[in-house]
Amino acid sequence: MRKFKNERNDRSRERDRQTERSEPRSPNFDNVIYGVLPVLEALRADSRRVERVAIAEGVRENRFTDIIELCRERSIAWNKIGRERFNVAVPDGANHQGVYAIVASATYSEVDDVLDVSEVPLIVILDGVEDPRNLGAVIRTVECSGADGVIIPERRAVGLNDTVAKSSAGALAHVKVAKATNINRLIDDLKSRNIWVVGTSGEATMSYTDWDWTQPSALILGNEGSGLHRLVAENCDTLVKIPMFGKVDSLNVSVAAGVILFEARRQRAKLN
């Protein structure tokens, strides 16, 4: 009898371990603000930290008129999502009132703050990078190479979430990151400031080592899969490439950033 009881206890403990392994991990709510007034106040007080707003389907939209208007005014993405998806994003039992906002893990800088860091700027612009680990790795590379900062689009790109912060290995605390409403308008602004805009493309004829990085320069790196948007590429002053010698035709965006930024650093060090 004792042996049978021990075997039953062993099987019970094994089931418990299997249950623990199969249960999904609890989501991280550190970057979630929920409830009508908290979301509204976040938009009013520090809207640049608000990444996006979600409203549960089936609730009266007139309750959220002010929130929706603020999102539209400040180019913050908002959408309606199904109840099942909505409930996963907020803590159990939360008085969410049908709305929540995702906020950044760090405060964004203004674009001017990034551009004014040095007299000979060297900045990185990311055209639609969606993987938070890639953004974090780029921020780490920018910090290690001594570049001046990073500018990302307000829409269709990852923002400063917890994964980005962790992937940057602490660099996010030392690098200015700004959001631009429109990358093509930003390019026009950079040109008016006499900052050369250099895009990356595997089809470019110029190697990245042939560009004079001692000049004020903005390096634009594209999406992980599709590269630069067509209009962004057309608006660049020039396009450069990193020659490939293997069978794979491109590098990870953070690796490409490192290769080019340290070439820029080498040229600038040689000049000094």
Side-chain angles (χ1 to χ4, degrees):
M1 178 67 71
R2 187 179 293 115
K3 182 179 179 181
F4 174 76
K5 185 175 181 180
N6 288 340
E7 288 176 351
R8 184 174 62 185
N9 288 341
D10 289 343
R11 288 196 299 269
S12 178
R13 283 193 292 270
E14 178 60 25
R15 281 197 304 270
D16 289 343
R17 285 194 292 267
Q18 290 175 351
T19 300
E20 289 173 3
R21 288 195 294 267
S22 64
E23 284 177 352
R25 294 180 180 178
S26 298
N28 184 353
F29 302 119
D30 292 344
N31 293 74
V32 180
I33 296 173
Y34 48 85
V36 174
L37 284 178
V39 171
L40 195 55
E41 290 306 316
L43 289 168
R44 287 171 174 165
D46 192 8
S47 64
R48 295 192 68 80
R49 288 200 67 179
V50 178
E51 297 285 352
R52 60 184 177 86
V53 172
I55 296 172
E57 289 182 347
V59 296
R60 296 195 309 274
E61 191 171 309
N62 59 355
R63 295 184 64 193
F64 311 111
T65 301
D66 291 342
I67 290 174
I68 293 170
E69 286 181 359
L70 280 171
C71 288
R72 287 171 175 165
E73 286 174 11
R74 302 179 187 190
S75 299
I76 295 170
W78 71 275
N79 63 328
K80 289 186 175 182
I81 62 175
R83 281 285 184 175
E84 186 174 346
R85 280 182 58 202
F86 187 96
N87 290 337
V88 170
V90 295
D92 291 339
N95 183 24
H96 52 70
Q97 299 173 301
V99 62
Y100 71 81
I102 303 295
V103 296
S105 293
T107 302
Y108 290 98
S109 299
E110 299 292 337
V111 170
D112 286 345
D113 293 335
V114 175
L115 301 182
D116 294 339
V117 169
S118 67
E119 294 183 1
V120 187
L122 176 60
I123 64 172
V124 172
I125 300 169
L126 299 178
D127 181 23
V129 170
E130 297 175 345
D131 189 322
R133 289 170 292 274
N134 281 342
L135 176 55
V138 169
I139 291 170
R140 183 178 184 178
T141 301
V142 165
E143 201 285 325
C144 291
S145 65
D148 297 320
V150 179
I151 301 176
I152 61 177
E154 283 193 346
R155 292 177 175 270
R156 301 182 185 89
V158 66
L160 298 180
N161 58 33
D162 278 352
T163 302
V164 172
K166 291 171 184 173
S167 300
S168 76
L172 182 57
H174 307 287
V175 175
K176 293 182 183 295
V177 180
K179 279 185 172 184
T181 304
N182 185 291
I183 295 297
N184 288 298
R185 283 204 292 269
L186 173 63
I187 290 174
D188 291 338
D189 184 31
L190 294 172
K191 291 179 179 180
S192 71
R193 297 171 184 247
N194 295 318
I195 298 174
W196 291 90
V197 181
V198 184
T200 53
S201 171
E203 299 176 358
T205 57
M206 181 189 296
S207 171
Y208 73 101
T209 57
D210 294 331
W211 177 253
D212 181 4
W213 295 101
T214 64
Q215 307 173 97
S217 300
L219 169 65
I220 305 188
L221 298 159
N223 177 280
E224 296 93 339
S226 56
L228 297 178
H229 287 92
R230 180 186 58 80
L231 193 55
V232 169
E234 290 176 358
N235 285 337
C236 290
D237 290 307
T238 190
L239 297 174
V240 299
K241 67 178 179 181
I242 301 173
M244 297 289 108
F245 300 97
K247 292 183 172 60
V248 178
D249 61 2
S250 66
L251 294 171
N252 173 277
V253 63
S254 63
V255 176
V259 170
I260 296 175
L261 289 177
F262 276 94
E263 168 62 17
R265 183 53 56 198
R266 184 193 70 81
Q267 291 187 17
R268 293 184 176 205
K270 187 176 180 180
L271 182 66
N272 295 332

